[in-house]
PDB file of all heavy atoms in Angstrom:
ATOM      1  N   LEU A 118     -21.558 -23.358 -11.503  1.00  0.00           N
ATOM      2  CA  LEU A 118     -22.027 -24.690 -11.107  1.00  0.00           C
ATOM      3  C   LEU A 118     -23.521 -24.858 -11.347  1.00  0.00           C
ATOM      4  O   LEU A 118     -24.024 -25.974 -11.428  1.00  0.00           O
ATOM      5  CB  LEU A 118     -21.699 -24.940  -9.629  1.00  0.00           C
ATOM      6  CG  LEU A 118     -20.212 -24.796  -9.268  1.00  0.00           C
ATOM      7  CD1 LEU A 118     -20.007 -24.939  -7.768  1.00  0.00           C
ATOM      8  CD2 LEU A 118     -19.371 -25.806 -10.024  1.00  0.00           C
ATOM      9  N   ASN A 119     -24.254 -23.735 -11.445  1.00  0.00           N
ATOM     10  CA  ASN A 119     -25.704 -23.734 -11.670  1.00  0.00           C
ATOM     11  C   ASN A 119     -26.059 -22.562 -12.579  1.00  0.00           C
ATOM     12  O   ASN A 119     -25.267 -21.640 -12.754  1.00  0.00           O
ATOM     13  CB  ASN A 119     -26.458 -23.564 -10.339  1.00  0.00           C
ATOM     14  CG  ASN A 119     -26.208 -24.712  -9.394  1.00  0.00           C
ATOM     15  OD1 ASN A 119     -26.452 -25.859  -9.723  1.00  0.00           O
ATOM     16  ND2 ASN A 119     -25.706 -24.394  -8.214  1.00  0.00           N
ATOM     17  N   ASP A 120     -27.246 -22.586 -13.133  1.00  0.00           N
ATOM     18  CA  ASP A 120     -27.717 -21.414 -13.865  1.00  0.00           C
ATOM     19  C   ASP A 120     -27.873 -20.287 -12.842  1.00  0.00           C
ATOM     20  O   ASP A 120     -28.489 -20.478 -11.790  1.00  0.00           O
ATOM     21  CB  ASP A 120     -29.085 -21.681 -14.513  1.00  0.00           C
ATOM     22  CG  ASP A 120     -29.009 -22.711 -15.638  1.00  0.00           C
ATOM     23  OD1 ASP A 120     -27.895 -23.150 -15.979  1.00  0.00           O
ATOM     24  OD2 ASP A 120     -30.081 -23.081 -16.163  1.00  0.00           O
ATOM     25  N   SER A 121     -27.283 -19.131 -13.144  1.00  0.00           N
ATOM     26  CA  SER A 121     -27.399 -18.007 -12.204  1.00  0.00           C
ATOM     27  C   SER A 121     -27.057 -16.696 -12.897  1.00  0.00           C
ATOM     28  O   SER A 121     -26.482 -16.674 -13.986  1.00  0.00           O
ATOM     29  CB  SER A 121     -26.481 -18.209 -10.996  1.00  0.00           C
ATOM     30  OG  SER A 121     -25.134 -18.309 -11.389  1.00  0.00           O
ATOM     31  N   GLU A 122     -27.449 -15.632 -12.243  1.00  0.00           N
ATOM     32  CA  GLU A 122     -27.108 -14.291 -12.701  1.00  0.00           C
ATOM     33  C   GLU A 122     -25.996 -13.787 -11.795  1.00  0.00           C
ATOM     34  O   GLU A 122     -26.192 -13.605 -10.592  1.00  0.00           O
ATOM     35  CB  GLU A 122     -28.342 -13.381 -12.620  1.00  0.00           C
ATOM     36  CG  GLU A 122     -28.113 -12.035 -13.259  1.00  0.00           C
ATOM     37  CD  GLU A 122     -29.411 -11.241 -13.314  1.00  0.00           C
ATOM     38  OE1 GLU A 122     -30.190 -11.431 -14.260  1.00  0.00           O
ATOM     39  OE2 GLU A 122     -29.609 -10.428 -12.390  1.00  0.00           O
ATOM     40  N   LEU A 123     -24.805 -13.587 -12.380  1.00  0.00           N
ATOM     41  CA  LEU A 123     -23.642 -13.144 -11.622  1.00  0.00           C
ATOM     42  C   LEU A 123     -23.504 -11.630 -11.730  1.00  0.00           C
ATOM     43  O   LEU A 123     -23.607 -11.069 -12.824  1.00  0.00           O
ATOM     44  CB  LEU A 123     -22.367 -13.793 -12.153  1.00  0.00           C
ATOM     45  CG  LEU A 123     -22.305 -15.310 -12.218  1.00  0.00           C
ATOM     46  CD1 LEU A 123     -20.991 -15.753 -12.843  1.00  0.00           C
ATOM     47  CD2 LEU A 123     -22.466 -15.911 -10.844  1.00  0.00           C
ATOM     48  N   MET A 124     -23.237 -11.015 -10.606  1.00  0.00           N
ATOM     49  CA  MET A 124     -22.982  -9.572 -10.591  1.00  0.00           C
ATOM     50  C   MET A 124     -21.486  -9.369 -10.330  1.00  0.00           C
ATOM     51  O   MET A 124     -20.956  -9.883  -9.336  1.00  0.00           O
ATOM     52  CB  MET A 124     -23.801  -8.889  -9.495  1.00  0.00           C
ATOM     53  CG  MET A 124     -23.589  -7.397  -9.403  1.00  0.00           C
ATOM     54  SD  MET A 124     -24.199  -6.472 -10.833  1.00  0.00           S
ATOM     55  CE  MET A 124     -25.952  -6.712 -10.658  1.00  0.00           C
ATOM     56  N   VAL A 125     -20.829  -8.653 -11.244  1.00  0.00           N
ATOM     57  CA  VAL A 125     -19.424  -8.295 -11.066  1.00  0.00           C
ATOM     58  C   VAL A 125     -19.414  -6.817 -10.680  1.00  0.00           C
ATOM     59  O   VAL A 125     -19.931  -5.971 -11.407  1.00  0.00           O
ATOM     60  CB  VAL A 125     -18.612  -8.513 -12.364  1.00  0.00           C
ATOM     61  CG1 VAL A 125     -17.154  -8.152 -12.148  1.00  0.00           C
ATOM     62  CG2 VAL A 125     -18.763  -9.945 -12.857  1.00  0.00           C
ATOM     63  N   VAL A 126     -18.821  -6.510  -9.525  1.00  0.00           N
ATOM     64  CA  VAL A 126     -18.829  -5.146  -9.002  1.00  0.00           C
ATOM     65  C   VAL A 126     -17.388  -4.675  -8.837  1.00  0.00           C
ATOM     66  O   VAL A 126     -16.631  -5.220  -8.028  1.00  0.00           O
ATOM     67  CB  VAL A 126     -19.574  -5.082  -7.646  1.00  0.00           C
ATOM     68  CG1 VAL A 126     -19.690  -3.634  -7.179  1.00  0.00           C
ATOM     69  CG2 VAL A 126     -20.950  -5.724  -7.749  1.00  0.00           C
ATOM     70  N   LEU A 127     -17.014  -3.657  -9.640  1.00  0.00           N
ATOM     71  CA  LEU A 127     -15.669  -3.077  -9.552  1.00  0.00           C
ATOM     72  C   LEU A 127     -15.716  -1.947  -8.530  1.00  0.00           C
ATOM     73  O   LEU A 127     -16.506  -1.012  -8.663  1.00  0.00           O
ATOM     74  CB  LEU A 127     -15.231  -2.522 -10.909  1.00  0.00           C
ATOM     75  CG  LEU A 127     -15.276  -3.484 -12.103  1.00  0.00           C
ATOM     76  CD1 LEU A 127     -14.781  -2.775 -13.357  1.00  0.00           C
ATOM     77  CD2 LEU A 127     -14.481  -4.745 -11.836  1.00  0.00           C
ATOM     78  N   ARG A 128     -14.863  -2.023  -7.519  1.00  0.00           N
ATOM     79  CA  ARG A 128     -14.861  -1.050  -6.421  1.00  0.00           C
ATOM     80  C   ARG A 128     -13.432  -0.645  -6.044  1.00  0.00           C
ATOM     81  O   ARG A 128     -12.479  -1.253  -6.490  1.00  0.00           O
ATOM     82  CB  ARG A 128     -15.442  -1.647  -5.135  1.00  0.00           C
ATOM     83  CG  ARG A 128     -16.766  -2.277  -5.191  1.00  0.00           C
ATOM     84  CD  ARG A 128     -17.111  -2.847  -3.809  1.00  0.00           C
ATOM     85  NE  ARG A 128     -18.402  -3.454  -3.769  1.00  0.00           N
ATOM     86  CZ  ARG A 128     -19.536  -2.821  -3.461  1.00  0.00           C
ATOM     87  NH1 ARG A 128     -19.514  -1.561  -3.146  1.00  0.00           N
ATOM     88  NH2 ARG A 128     -20.678  -3.455  -3.458  1.00  0.00           N
ATOM     89  N   GLY A 129     -13.369   0.281  -5.095  1.00  0.00           N
ATOM     90  CA  GLY A 129     -12.143   0.553  -4.350  1.00  0.00           C
ATOM     91  C   GLY A 129     -12.247  -0.221  -3.048  1.00  0.00           C
ATOM     92  O   GLY A 129     -13.281  -0.815  -2.745  1.00  0.00           O
TER      93      GLY A 129
END
Side-chain angles (χ1 to χ4, degrees):
L118 304 175
N119 297 303
D120 292 355
S121 60
E122 188 173 276
L123 304 177
M124 180 67 68
V125 181
V126 185
L127 305 181
R128 307 178 179 270

